[in-house]
Every structure is written in structure tokens, then in C-alpha cells.
Amino acid sequence: MNAHCANNGAGARLSFLRPGQPEDAIAWRGKRPITRREFLRDLAALSARLPDRPHVLNHCEDRYQFMVGLAAALTRGQVSLFPSNRAPEVLAQLTRDYPGVYCLTDRRAPEEAAVMQVCAYDTAGASVEAQDPAFLPEQLVAIAFTSGSTGVPKRYPKYWGGVVHEARIAGERLGLDAAGGQILATVPAQHMYGFIYSVILPVQWGYAIGAERPFYPEDIRRALAALPGPAILVTTPVHIRACVLDGVQLPPLDFILTSTAPLDAALAAQTETLYGTRVQEFYGSTETGAIAARRQAETGVWRTFTDI
């Protein structure tokens, strides 16, 4: 497994963050950088105030706060639950299946409060820095649920070693630069595609994330323009089509990564021409994670990842 280890030997822990300096930007909120030192302070503060529960619904909409919440939950040995949606009946079922589950949120009046304990994201007064977090490969990170469109939703455990490995081999396939860069995503961090490619992949490769989750084409343009340089846009065919049809002029991009649904070859070619960049497409599922990639403007053939 090609990943960053905190120590060597059997049972070596795998680092959450790529090695770096305290003042390195690991996220951007608008035009304001959030440094590694700030992250470690926020992590220490949030870890100390999380309730002592085995399972958590991390429903922070701010992607940086989601990332801090994820690392804090892992530090406390808590498992994140990723249901396919937030319908009241789904949340109620989770409370029955996972007694003691709570919701971590950055919203003022979350609907989850009607069925479970809510913990508000709060790192006010953070001053002490946590140690760089690192976890055993066999630590259970999350349980992801299928949509249940063909029956009862199925549960798939995701372990730290597995998600790190996927992020590493996917980054190699994408040709990520060890010097880092920026990643902005239109997809939620609570979806497995968004979880791996807008949170785990950036921290493993030293890329700073955009805290926002823009939705409309102009919102995407503004969020990209606020970043200090060309970014990777992690998105879906729906958002790509909306940007192309809108004719919005996006800032320079490293490339666009898309998944969750098939990308039309004509749309891929049109997007590459309009934005002067390449469009990479991933194939995967909740069960498997991403397993293959293609550049639809060049070929319809999928190439599996290393080790698959």
C-alpha cells in the first residue's frame, strides 16, 4: 500500500495528513487559507467535546468542518454512518439499528434533532494543537449504505487502510503532483464519491480543499476564482452540463473529475474545448469504491486501477 505511515513495521499507522509545514494551507474558505496548525487546534478542540458515542452522522455542510469532524471521530474511535439520504424514516431507522448514534452538524436548526442527539460543531477558543492524527489500517472509518432501490439498503464497512489505498492509487492514475494544489467539489462529503475525492484524496496528496459546496454555475465560477491557482473540480455530469449550457466562463482548471453517472462523449469533448482542460471520469460504486477511469473525449474504454 503506497501511503504515508506514521511508523514502520507491522500494524503501522497511516497518517491522516500528508507531511507538511504548520503554515501550509490545507483548506480555503473563500480567499482565506486555513493552515495545518489551525486544523490541529480545531481537531483538539472538537475531539474534546464530542459525546462518548460509538456512531456519528457527520452532517457538516462546510467541507473543512466535515474534515475536522471526521478526524475527531476517528480519534475518538467513532464510526461515521453514510445513509443514502436524510429522509425522516431513514434517520429513525438508523437510531433503531445503531442505538446511541448522534449527529454532528454546523446548522442552527437541524432536522436530525427530532430523532437523535445533536452535537453542534464548535471549536471556539481552540489553542492546544493535537498531534498529527494517524490510524491503523484496520480501523473502521465508516459504514456506507446503498440506496435500497432493489430492496433493503445494504451496509458496507469502509476501513482506513482501504480508503487511503483508493485515494493513493486514484491519485496516481490522475497524475497528481506531490507539490499539491487545490480541489473544489460540488458533491457532498457524505456521499462515498465526495468522501474519497473531496476529503481523503486531498489530505493524502497534500491538496487544499475548498470549504464551500457550490451548486449553480456562477457559484462554481466564484468559488474557483477565490482559490489561489488552477484547481481540480470534483463534480458530476449534471453539474458539467449545467455549466456548459449556461456558458459560464470558469477560471483555468487543472482538470475536471466526474462520476456518479455516465458522461456523454459529446458533452465531454464540448467541456474540454470550452474550458481548455481534460475531463476524467471514474467508474465505481458504494460497494467497490472507484475501480476504473477513462477520458471520454479520447476513448470509451475503461482502464482499471492498479491492483484491480
Side-chain angles (χ1 to χ4, degrees):
M1 181 180 295
N2 183 11
H4 310 296
C5 295
N7 58 287
N8 298 317
R13 293 175 178 266
L14 305 177
S15 301
F16 187 83
L17 298 173
R18 188 181 182 92
Q21 299 302 314
E23 298 309 316
D24 289 345
I26 65 168
W28 291 83
R29 183 173 290 114
K31 293 187 176 182
R32 188 182 83 79
I34 301 173
T35 66
R36 184 189 190 95
R37 175 178 284 118
E38 288 179 82
F39 168 80
L40 293 176
R41 288 175 179 170
D42 289 342
L43 173 59
L46 186 63
S47 297
R49 68 182 308 272
L50 291 182
D52 190 17
R53 300 292 184 89
H55 298 96
V56 58
L57 285 173
N58 185 342
H59 281 179
C60 291
E61 300 293 339
D62 180 291
R63 203 172 306 269
Y64 168 74
Q65 293 178 354
F66 175 92
M67 182 173 72
V68 175
L70 172 69
L74 284 169
T75 299
R76 294 286 299 274
Q78 299 176 359
V79 179
S80 296
L81 303 180
F82 292 147
S84 61
N85 63 70
R86 301 184 189 182
E89 59 271 20
V90 171
L91 296 179
Q93 185 63 50
L94 284 177
T95 64
R96 292 191 290 269
D97 293 343
Y98 298 93
V101 63
Y102 73 97
C103 177
L104 175 66
T105 181
D106 52 8
R107 289 171 293 153
R108 291 186 177 179
E111 63 269 21
E112 294 88 352
V115 294
M116 67 182 70
Q117 179 183 353
V118 167
C119 176
Y121 180 95
D122 184 3
T123 58
S127 57
V128 178
E129 293 180 27
Q131 295 294 317
D132 270 319
F135 309 102
L136 292 170
E138 60 268 27
Q139 181 167 342
L140 182 60
V141 175
I143 298 174
F145 296 77
T146 60
S147 64
S149 58
T150 58
V152 177
K154 295 182 179 179
R155 313 170 190 192
Y156 288 89
K158 303 293 180 178
Y159 298 93
W160 182 238
V163 299
V164 167
H165 184 56
E166 180 181 340
R168 295 302 302 172
I169 62 174
E172 291 168 2
R173 175 60 58 86
L174 292 169
L176 296 192
D177 190 334
Q182 292 76 230
I183 291 180
L184 180 75
T186 66
V187 292
Q190 293 82 3
H191 184 281
M192 286 310 298
Y193 168 51
F195 175 66
I196 298 293
Y197 295 102
S198 72
V199 180
I200 303 300
L201 181 139
V203 297
Q204 285 295 302
W205 283 87
Y207 279 64
I209 66 170
E212 302 83 3
R213 179 161 72 93
F215 184 80
Y216 295 107
E218 178 60 15
D219 296 333
I220 296 171
R221 185 197 68 77
R222 290 179 180 178
L224 287 169
L227 296 174
I232 298 165
L233 179 61
V234 176
T235 190
T236 68
V238 171
H239 284 100
I240 291 174
R241 186 177 299 278
C243 288
V244 170
L245 292 178
D246 185 85
V248 64
Q249 293 300 311
L250 299 180
L253 294 162
D254 279 347
F255 61 86
I256 296 171
L257 176 63
T258 180
S259 190
T260 72
L263 179 66
D264 179 75
L267 177 60
Q270 188 178 5
T271 303
E272 291 200 356
T273 299
L274 180 61
Y275 298 123
T277 192
R278 58 191 169 101
V279 179
Q280 297 282 5
E281 184 179 9
F282 275 4
Y283 177 85
S285 66
T286 301
E287 298 89 333
T288 64
I291 59 174
R294 68 182 176 185
R295 185 176 174 185
Q296 181 74 303
E298 292 184 339
T299 178
V301 177
W302 294 100
R303 291 178 55 233
T304 55
F305 290 172
T306 304
D307 299 339
I308 296 175

